Amino acid sequence: MAGTEDFFDHIEKGYTTKGDYINMGAAILNGEAVKNAFVKIPLKTLNRHGLIAGATGTGKTKTLQVLAENLSEKGIPVLLMDLKGDLSGLAQPSPGHAKIDERHEKIGFPFKASSFPVEILSLSEQDGVKLRATVSEFGPVLLSRILDLSETQSGIVAVVFKYCDDQKMPLLDLKDFKKVLQYATGAGKAEFTKEYGRISTSSTGTILRKIIELEQQGAELFFGEKSFDVNDLTRIDEQGRGYINILRLTDIQDRPKLFSTFMLSLLAEIYDTFPEQGDSDRPELILFIDEAHLIFKEASKALLDQIESIVKLIRSKGIGLYFVTQNPTDVPNDVLSQLGLKVQHALRAFTARDRKAIKLTAENYPESEFYDTKEVLTSLGIGEALISALDEKGRPTPLAATLLRAPMSRMDILTDTELKEVIDRSALVKKYNETIDRESAYEILNEKIENAEKLAEKEKNKPAARKTSRRTSTRQNPVIKVLTSATFIRGVLGVLKKVMR
């Protein structure tokens, strides 16, 4: 079995690591797992981002689950975007199975069942810790990019933010922002024109329509207080394990605008909040974005540019981003080129387009003397994947078709009772689930408009009263009329001049 021995040495040499690592499973040769030929991912390189791809039913979610569990066990917190609702089982240990034991026997290490510390988050009306952010926290640039505004419209958004800053008006939710826009071309038109220049009604109308479109996807639930502190994503439990934060998104699959808005704001907030740390031995936080095509599908060019910039810059903060999708072609090339770890499950060649996608995917992986990559991509079984990672020096590891280890937690969802128990014992629910609606731009402007209307009404009535009084007075007293007439005054002045001479 010289071929097997050469292959074993090839894998062992390529996946040797001095620091801590995650064991993904054992490499496969000729359709069989080679025992103890472990495929190991160094913790040091996990902030270089990654991709988990493959056709439906090939095991992408279980791979995500394995990575999340092992990261948590190493003390690294995780955020999972759960669009299908099948990741909550991480809070319960696996019941085990004979097939799991058989798989681990082939890999070369025993199976261990375990549960993990889980926090359930929510972006909508579902139960869980409510995630919110204020309009002010977004800022004019990010908000303009999310709304896909023109340069002129973006300038108006900047003016609105400047006005609210100058007037000490909090911009908390979309209701506040809409109110200021309406005020700028309505009751406050003269004030805005004097201080900031003329604002076009047609431009504000376009911005309002785009805000309404965002509201129709449920954004009013996201904008507001209390704002979520991203540092709460990095909690460690009493056993030193990182929390697995599961964001339930099962009810927003048909609202990609809201999903991309949230993702971009979250990444921007993390980037602004977390300190620079350069190359460290382990990441601070790992984010898994399931159904990643939803971010890119509806995104404008400006939004894509923003996402690409953050992907390139955020790794220096110790943050790793992992995109989970069916096909690598769902991810823009500029983003794909930044991904260090690639876990590719099987692809299916049903059409000419599928075959073309497989060819393109194969070209993204290092060449191997042991595999025909295109052939392997279509022959992988469930729970098997091609893996290419980076070693501790940032070099690509050998391509390895891998029999993946099984998740240690339950490969199923929690029952309603179990889910309620997780939420009830959450410290973050108590911190964030109280709705706060303090005085902000909406209330301040309403009061300002009301006071202005009262003053205008008062001023309107005052001149009318004086005019009526003066007419009545001159009719009743003709002497005063004579004494104050121009003719009488000129006559008196003429007499005075003569007297003085």
Side-chain angles (χ1 to χ4, degrees):
M1 295 288 290
T4 303
E5 289 174 5
D6 290 343
F7 179 73
F8 182 89
D9 292 341
H10 174 69
I11 294 298
E12 187 173 46
K13 182 181 177 182
Y15 286 93
T16 297
T17 172
K18 293 179 181 178
D20 207 353
Y21 60 86
I22 290 174
N23 190 339
M24 295 296 293
I28 297 171
L29 180 65
N30 299 324
E32 295 293 330
V34 178
K35 195 170 185 177
N36 297 327
F38 298 134
V39 176
K40 298 178 286 190
I41 314 299
L43 295 187
K44 184 179 176 67
T45 64
L46 285 172
N47 67 330
R48 301 294 184 93
H49 313 314
L51 173 75
I52 302 172
T56 301
T58 55
K60 297 189 301 296
T61 302
K62 301 302 173 278
T63 299
L64 186 160
Q65 195 170 340
V66 165
L67 281 166
E69 292 172 344
N70 282 274
L71 287 164
S72 174
E73 200 167 52
K74 303 289 184 183
I76 300 168
V78 174
L79 174 62
L80 305 178
M81 309 292 164
D82 187 9
L83 275 93
K84 299 190 291 290
D86 50 6
L87 291 171
S88 60
L90 281 154
Q92 292 291 329
S94 167
H97 196 278
K99 287 186 177 180
I100 293 177
D101 295 333
E102 182 184 344
R103 174 178 287 258
H104 276 256
E105 173 62 29
K106 291 178 180 177
I107 292 171
F109 64 88
F111 174 73
K112 180 186 72 172
S114 180
S115 61
F116 296 88
V118 165
E119 193 72 65
I120 303 295
L121 313 178
S122 173
L123 196 59
S124 61
E125 293 178 339
Q126 288 185 318
D127 292 336
V129 179
K130 302 301 180 187
L131 298 188
R132 298 188 186 93
T134 65
V135 173
S136 291
E137 288 168 339
F138 264 65
V141 175
L142 190 56
L143 188 62
S144 297
R145 288 186 176 179
I146 286 164
L147 296 174
D148 193 20
L149 302 180
S150 68
E151 189 176 341
T152 301
Q153 293 158 0
S154 299
I156 291 173
V157 172
V159 166
V160 166
F161 274 79
K162 179 70 168 65
Y163 173 77
C164 290
D165 285 343
D166 292 346
Q167 301 296 319
K168 304 293 187 291
M169 286 183 189
L171 270 178
L172 303 181
D173 51 29
L174 293 177
K175 179 179 64 176
D176 291 331
F177 190 73
K178 288 194 298 181
K179 188 67 183 179
V180 182
L181 274 178
Q182 291 163 346
Y183 180 76
T185 53
K189 184 176 180 179
E191 181 184 354
F192 266 81
T193 302
K194 180 182 177 183
E195 295 294 329
Y196 308 102
R198 183 177 170 275
I199 291 178
S200 164
T201 306
S202 61
S203 292
T204 56
T206 302
I207 299 169
L208 281 168
R209 286 192 294 274
K210 295 200 174 188
I211 291 170
I212 290 168
E213 178 189 346
L214 198 60
E215 283 181 320
Q216 287 174 338
Q217 295 202 17
E220 72 278 1
L221 294 170
F222 172 61
F223 286 99
E225 290 187 309
K226 184 176 185 180
S227 295
F228 186 80
D229 182 356
V230 291
N231 287 301
D232 282 330
L233 295 174
T234 61
R235 294 185 304 144
I236 306 294
D237 77 350
E238 61 278 359
Q239 297 177 40
R241 299 176 301 173
Y243 264 86
I244 298 176
N245 303 281
I246 301 174
L247 177 56
R248 303 171 72 200
L249 298 168
T250 53
D251 58 345
I252 70 163
Q253 290 190 48
D254 58 343
R255 292 179 274 176
K257 192 84 171 179
L258 176 59
F259 183 45
S260 58
T261 298
F262 163 72
M263 273 309 308
L264 194 53
S265 69
L266 179 71
L267 293 176
E269 183 69 15
I270 287 173
Y271 181 74
D272 289 339
T273 303
F274 283 48
E276 287 281 343
Q277 67 173 51
D279 285 329
S280 64
D281 291 333
R282 55 196 292 117
E284 291 295 310
L285 175 69
I286 298 291
L287 283 74
F288 290 92
I289 305 169
D290 200 3
E291 303 294 333
H293 64 277
L294 290 178
I295 293 182
F296 304 111
K297 184 180 177 183
E298 299 289 330
S300 64
K301 188 179 184 309
L303 196 57
L304 283 175
D305 290 343
Q306 185 76 8
I307 293 170
E308 288 164 12
S309 297
I310 289 177
V311 169
K312 291 173 183 176
L313 297 171
I314 204 169
R315 74 176 184 84
S316 65
K317 306 278 188 168
I319 311 299
L321 300 177
Y322 286 75
F323 299 96
V324 185
T325 189
Q326 291 193 15
N327 201 303
T329 56
D330 295 334
V331 181
N333 286 331
D334 286 344
V335 174
L336 200 60
S337 65
Q338 300 293 318
L339 309 182
L341 172 63
K342 295 185 177 72
V343 182
Q344 179 64 61
H345 289 265
L347 293 174
R348 305 301 181 213
F350 297 121
T351 65
R353 185 178 178 183
D354 291 339
R355 288 190 290 275
K356 186 177 180 181
I358 289 169
K359 184 181 177 182
L360 289 171
T361 301
E363 291 172 355
N364 286 326
Y365 289 91
E367 292 184 0
S368 172
E369 60 182 290
F370 297 98
Y371 302 117
D372 179 341
T373 308
K374 284 187 288 186
E375 185 181 324
V376 172
L377 278 172
T378 56
S379 61
L380 290 166
I382 296 172
E384 298 175 356
L386 276 174
I387 292 180
S388 174
L390 297 176
D391 67 14
E392 289 171 312
K393 293 184 179 179
R395 301 169 302 194
T397 59
L399 184 63
T402 308
L403 179 64
L404 297 165
R405 64 186 293 176
M408 294 180 274
S409 57
R410 183 192 294 176
M411 290 188 277
D412 198 359
I413 62 173
L414 298 180
T415 64
D416 290 343
T417 303
E418 290 169 336
L419 187 64
K420 186 176 184 302
E421 287 174 359
V422 171
I423 294 170
D424 285 348
R425 63 173 177 260
S426 166
L428 295 187
V429 166
K430 300 175 181 67
K431 181 177 179 180
Y432 290 109
N433 282 27
E434 179 188 357
T435 303
I436 300 172
D437 188 16
R438 63 187 172 98
E439 187 180 64
S440 53
Y442 181 82
E443 289 80 13
I444 293 170
L445 284 179
N446 273 339
E447 185 179 350
K448 188 174 183 177
I449 292 167
E450 188 179 333
N451 289 339
E453 288 174 348
K454 286 179 180 177
L455 185 63
E457 187 67 28
K458 190 176 179 181
E459 290 295 323
K460 181 182 175 183
N461 292 332
K462 279 172 69 177
R466 283 197 300 269
K467 194 173 180 182
T468 303
S469 173
R470 193 159 51 244
R471 282 200 303 267
T472 305
S473 175
T474 51
R475 277 200 305 267
Q476 288 177 349
N477 197 340
V479 174
I480 292 174
K481 185 176 180 180
V482 171
L483 291 175
T484 57
S485 69
T487 305
F488 179 80
I489 290 169
R490 279 196 302 270
V492 171
L493 290 173
V495 170
L496 286 171
K497 275 184 181 181
K498 290 177 180 177
V499 170
M500 289 172 70
R501 285 185 188 138

